[in-house]
Coordinates of all heavy atoms in Angstrom, one line a residue:
P12 N -41.3 -32.5 28.9 CA -40.4 -32.2 30.1 C -40.8 -30.8 30.7 O -41.6 -30.1 30.2 CB -39.0 -32.3 29.5 CG -39.2 -31.8 28.1 CD -40.6 -32.4 27.7
E13 N -40.1 -30.5 31.7 CA -40.3 -29.2 32.4 C -40.2 -28.0 31.5 O -41.0 -27.0 31.6 CB -39.3 -28.9 33.6 CG -39.6 -30.0 34.7 CD -40.8 -29.8 35.4 OE1 -41.6 -28.7 35.3 OE2 -41.4 -30.7 35.8
G14 N -39.3 -28.0 30.5 CA -39.2 -27.1 29.4 C -40.2 -27.1 28.3 O -40.0 -26.5 27.3
D15 N -41.1 -28.1 28.3 CA -42.1 -28.4 27.3 C -41.4 -29.1 26.1 O -40.1 -29.2 26.0 CB -42.8 -27.0 26.9 CG -44.1 -27.4 26.2 OD1 -44.5 -28.5 26.0 OD2 -44.9 -26.3 26.0
F16 N -42.2 -29.6 25.3 CA -41.7 -30.1 24.0 C -41.1 -29.1 23.3 O -41.5 -27.8 23.4 CB -42.9 -30.7 23.1 CG -43.6 -32.0 23.8 CD1 -44.9 -32.1 24.3 CD2 -42.7 -33.2 23.9 CE1 -45.4 -33.1 24.9 CE2 -43.3 -34.3 24.5 CZ -44.6 -34.2 24.9
S17 N -40.4 -29.3 22.2 CA -40.0 -28.2 21.4 C -41.0 -27.9 20.4 O -42.0 -28.9 20.2 CB -38.7 -28.6 20.5 OG -38.9 -29.6 19.6
I18 N -41.2 -26.8 19.8 CA -42.3 -26.5 18.9 C -42.2 -27.5 17.6 O -43.1 -27.9 17.0 CB -42.2 -25.0 18.5 CG1 -43.6 -24.7 17.8 CG2 -41.1 -24.8 17.4 CD1 -43.9 -23.2 17.7
D19 N -41.0 -27.9 17.3 CA -40.8 -28.8 16.2 C -41.4 -30.3 16.6 O -41.9 -30.8 15.7 CB -39.4 -29.0 15.7 CG -38.8 -27.9 15.0 OD1 -39.5 -27.0 14.5 OD2 -37.6 -27.6 15.1
E20 N -41.3 -30.6 17.8 CA -41.8 -31.7 18.3 C -43.3 -31.8 18.3 O -44.0 -32.7 17.9 CB -41.2 -32.1 19.6 CG -39.8 -32.6 19.6 CD -39.3 -32.7 21.1 OE1 -39.7 -32.0 22.0 OE2 -38.3 -33.6 21.2
V21 N -43.9 -30.7 18.6 CA -45.4 -30.6 18.6 C -45.9 -30.7 17.1 O -46.8 -31.4 16.9 CB -45.8 -29.2 19.3 CG1 -47.3 -29.0 19.1 CG2 -45.4 -29.2 20.8
N22 N -45.2 -29.9 16.3 CA -45.6 -30.0 14.9 C -45.5 -31.4 14.4 O -46.2 -31.9 13.5 CB -44.8 -29.1 14.1 CG -45.3 -27.7 14.2 OD1 -46.4 -27.4 14.5 ND2 -44.3 -26.7 14.3
F23 N -44.4 -32.2 14.7 CA -44.2 -33.5 14.3 C -45.2 -34.5 14.8 O -45.7 -35.3 14.0 CB -42.8 -34.1 14.8 CG -42.4 -35.4 14.3 CD1 -41.9 -35.5 13.1 CD2 -42.5 -36.5 15.2 CE1 -41.4 -36.8 12.6 CE2 -42.2 -37.8 14.7 CZ -41.6 -38.0 13.5
A24 N -45.6 -34.3 16.1 CA -46.7 -35.0 16.6 C -48.1 -34.8 15.8 O -48.8 -35.8 15.5 CB -46.9 -34.8 18.1
M25 N -48.3 -33.6 15.6 CA -49.6 -33.2 14.9 C -49.6 -33.9 13.4 O -50.6 -34.3 13.0 CB -49.7 -31.7 14.8 CG -49.9 -31.0 16.0 SD -49.8 -29.1 16.0 CE -51.2 -28.8 15.0
L26 N -48.5 -33.8 12.8 CA -48.3 -34.5 11.5 C -48.7 -36.1 11.5 O -49.1 -36.6 10.6 CB -47.0 -34.4 10.9 CG -46.7 -32.9 10.4 CD1 -45.3 -32.9 10.0 CD2 -47.5 -32.6 9.2
H27 N -48.4 -36.5 12.7 CA -48.8 -38.1 13.0 C -50.0 -38.2 13.7 O -50.3 -39.4 14.3 CB -47.6 -38.7 13.7 CG -46.3 -38.9 12.8 ND1 -45.5 -37.8 12.6 CD2 -45.9 -39.9 12.2 CE1 -44.5 -38.3 11.9 NE2 -44.8 -39.5 11.5
G28 N -51.0 -37.3 13.7 CA -52.4 -37.5 14.2 C -52.5 -37.1 15.6 O -53.7 -37.5 16.2
F29 N -51.6 -36.7 16.3 CA -51.9 -36.3 17.7 C -52.5 -34.8 17.7 O -52.1 -33.9 17.1 CB -50.5 -36.1 18.3 CG -50.0 -37.5 18.9 CD1 -49.2 -38.2 17.8 CD2 -50.1 -38.0 20.1 CE1 -48.8 -39.6 18.1 CE2 -49.6 -39.3 20.4 CZ -49.0 -40.0 19.4
V30 N -53.4 -34.8 18.6 CA -54.3 -33.6 18.7 C -53.7 -32.7 19.8 O -53.6 -33.1 20.9 CB -55.7 -33.9 18.9 CG1 -56.6 -32.6 19.2 CG2 -56.3 -34.6 17.8
P31 N -53.4 -31.5 19.6 CA -52.9 -30.6 20.7 C -54.0 -30.2 21.8 O -55.0 -29.8 21.4 CB -52.5 -29.2 20.0 CG -52.5 -29.5 18.6 CD -53.4 -30.7 18.3
I32 N -53.6 -30.4 23.0 CA -54.7 -30.3 24.1 C -54.0 -29.3 25.3 O -52.9 -29.2 25.3 CB -55.1 -31.7 24.7 CG1 -53.8 -32.4 25.2 CG2 -55.8 -32.5 23.7 CD1 -54.1 -33.5 26.1
S33 N -55.0 -28.9 26.0 CA -54.7 -28.2 27.3 C -55.3 -28.9 28.3 O -56.3 -29.5 28.3 CB -55.4 -26.7 27.2 OG -55.5 -26.1 28.5
L34 N -54.6 -28.9 29.5 CA -55.1 -29.6 30.7 C -55.7 -28.6 31.7 O -55.8 -28.9 32.9 CB -53.9 -30.4 31.4 CG -53.3 -31.5 30.6 CD1 -52.1 -32.1 31.2 CD2 -54.5 -32.6 30.2
G35 N -56.0 -27.5 31.1 CA -56.5 -26.3 32.1 C -55.7 -25.1 32.0 O -54.8 -25.0 31.3
N36 N -56.0 -24.1 32.9 CA -55.4 -22.7 32.8 C -54.1 -22.6 33.6 O -53.2 -21.8 33.5 CB -56.2 -21.7 33.4 CG -57.5 -21.5 32.5 OD1 -57.6 -21.7 31.3 ND2 -58.7 -21.3 33.1
S37 N -53.7 -23.6 34.5 CA -52.7 -23.6 35.3 C -51.4 -24.1 34.5 O -51.6 -25.0 33.7 CB -52.7 -24.3 36.6 OG -53.9 -23.8 37.3
R38 N -50.2 -23.7 34.8 CA -49.0 -24.3 34.2 C -48.6 -25.4 35.1 O -48.2 -25.1 36.4 CB -48.0 -23.2 34.0 CG -46.9 -23.6 33.1 CD -45.9 -22.5 32.9 NE -44.8 -22.9 32.0 CZ -44.8 -22.7 30.6 NH1 -45.8 -22.2 30.1 NH2 -43.9 -23.1 29.9
L39 N -48.5 -26.6 34.8 CA -48.3 -27.7 35.7 C -46.9 -28.3 35.5 O -46.3 -28.3 34.4 CB -49.4 -28.8 35.4 CG -50.8 -28.4 35.4 CD1 -51.7 -29.6 34.9 CD2 -51.2 -28.1 36.8
R40 N -46.5 -28.9 36.5 CA -45.2 -29.6 36.5 C -45.4 -30.9 35.7 O -46.6 -31.3 35.6 CB -44.7 -30.0 37.9 CG -44.1 -28.9 38.7 CD -43.4 -29.2 40.0 NE -42.9 -28.2 40.8 CZ -41.7 -27.8 40.6 NH1 -40.9 -28.4 39.6 NH2 -41.2 -26.8 41.3
T41 N -44.4 -31.5 35.2 CA -44.6 -32.7 34.4 C -45.3 -33.8 35.0 O -46.4 -34.3 34.5 CB -43.1 -33.3 33.9 OG1 -42.5 -32.3 33.1 CG2 -43.4 -34.7 33.2
E42 N -45.0 -34.2 36.3 CA -45.7 -35.1 37.0 C -47.0 -34.9 37.4 O -47.9 -35.8 37.3 CB -44.9 -35.6 38.3 CG -44.9 -34.7 39.4 CD -43.8 -33.6 39.4 OE1 -43.3 -33.4 38.3 OE2 -43.7 -32.8 40.3
T43 N -47.3 -33.5 37.7 CA -48.7 -33.2 37.9 C -49.5 -33.2 36.7 O -50.7 -33.7 36.7 CB -48.7 -31.7 38.4 OG1 -47.7 -31.7 39.6 CG2 -50.2 -31.3 39.0
A44 N -49.0 -32.9 35.6 CA -49.7 -32.9 34.3 C -50.1 -34.3 34.0 O -51.1 -34.7 33.5 CB -48.9 -32.2 33.2
G45 N -49.1 -35.2 34.2 CA -49.4 -36.6 33.8 C -50.4 -37.3 34.7 O -51.3 -37.9 34.1
L46 N -50.4 -37.0 36.0 CA -51.4 -37.4 36.8 C -52.8 -36.9 36.5 O -53.9 -37.5 36.5 CB -51.0 -37.1 38.3 CG -52.0 -37.9 39.3 CD1 -51.9 -39.4 39.2 CD2 -51.6 -37.5 40.7
M47 N -52.8 -35.6 36.2 CA -54.0 -34.9 35.7 C -54.7 -35.5 34.5 O -55.9 -35.9 34.5 CB -53.8 -33.3 35.5 CG -55.0 -32.6 35.1 SD -56.2 -32.2 36.4 CE -55.4 -30.7 36.9
A48 N -53.8 -35.8 33.6 CA -54.3 -36.5 32.3 C -54.9 -37.9 32.6 O -55.9 -38.2 32.1 CB -53.2 -36.5 31.3
V49 N -54.2 -38.6 33.4 CA -54.8 -40.0 33.8 C -56.0 -39.8 34.5 O -57.0 -40.6 34.2 CB -53.6 -40.7 34.6 CG1 -54.3 -41.9 35.2 CG2 -52.4 -41.1 33.7
A50 N -56.1 -38.9 35.4 CA -57.4 -38.7 36.1 C -58.5 -38.4 35.3 O -59.7 -38.9 35.5 CB -57.2 -37.7 37.3
M51 N -58.3 -37.4 34.3 CA -59.3 -37.0 33.5 C -59.7 -38.1 32.6 O -60.9 -38.4 32.2 CB -58.8 -35.8 32.5 CG -58.7 -34.5 33.3 SD -58.0 -33.2 32.2 CE -58.0 -31.7 33.3
A52 N -58.8 -38.8 32.1 CA -59.2 -40.0 31.1 C -59.9 -41.0 31.9 O -60.9 -41.6 31.3 CB -57.8 -40.6 30.6
Q53 N -59.6 -41.3 33.1 CA -60.2 -42.2 34.0 C -61.7 -42.0 34.2 O -62.6 -42.7 34.1 CB -59.5 -42.4 35.3 CG -60.0 -43.3 36.4 CD -60.3 -44.7 36.0 OE1 -61.2 -45.3 36.1 NE2 -59.2 -45.3 35.6

């Protein structure tokens, strides 16, 4: 969300095999980050 995941949520995801990533140097809104991730993956 706009306030980011909680740090506990990030750690929980990492425990379940999710790798922490960056989408670049800019701080993006949720919908912009989502579209950026889809475009990169595509």
Side-chain angles (χ1 to χ4, degrees):
E13 293 296 336
D15 206 347
F16 295 113
S17 71
I18 197 164
D19 288 339
E20 287 172 331
V21 176
N22 286 325
F23 184 80
M25 291 170 61
L26 287 174
H27 286 80
F29 284 80
V30 177
I32 56 165
S33 167
L34 297 173
N36 296 325
S37 299
R38 194 175 183 89
L39 305 174
R40 288 184 179 275
T41 295
E42 72 278 11
T43 310
L46 191 61
M47 177 78 82
V49 169
M51 288 180 176
Q53 174 64 228

